[in-house]
Amino acid sequence: MIKIRLSRGGTKKRPVYKVVIADSRRARDGRFIEKVGFFNPLLPKDKKERVGLEAERIKYWLSEGAQPTTRVARILGENNIIPMPVNGN
């Protein structure tokens, strides 16, 4: 199954995440198909540099059947790429 998920980078106690398209059987930080964005949780929520997404590529992969993880679904919902998921999903 193809997933849209976060891949951790950065240093100890200073994470930076890539939003990637990956096979669900691969390791979290392992091989991925395509990088489609980034997420920096250390920046304030109102900063533009906190999240960067390639909306067209994400929509393409969603149409191909890729499933976002819970956290990625919230990020995509906040950026109006997909409907905001309900809590507890």
Side-chain angles (χ1 to χ4, degrees), residues 33-63:
I33 299 168
E34 182 179 354
K35 179 184 172 201
V36 293
F38 65 88
F39 171 62
N40 186 348
L42 299 177
L43 292 176
K45 289 187 179 182
D46 57 344
K47 283 268 199 179
K48 185 181 176 206
E49 298 84 27
R50 180 178 166 96
V51 177
L53 300 169
E54 295 178 25
E56 292 302 315
R57 293 303 295 164
I58 292 170
K59 288 177 184 176
Y60 165 78
W61 281 106
L62 289 170
S63 71

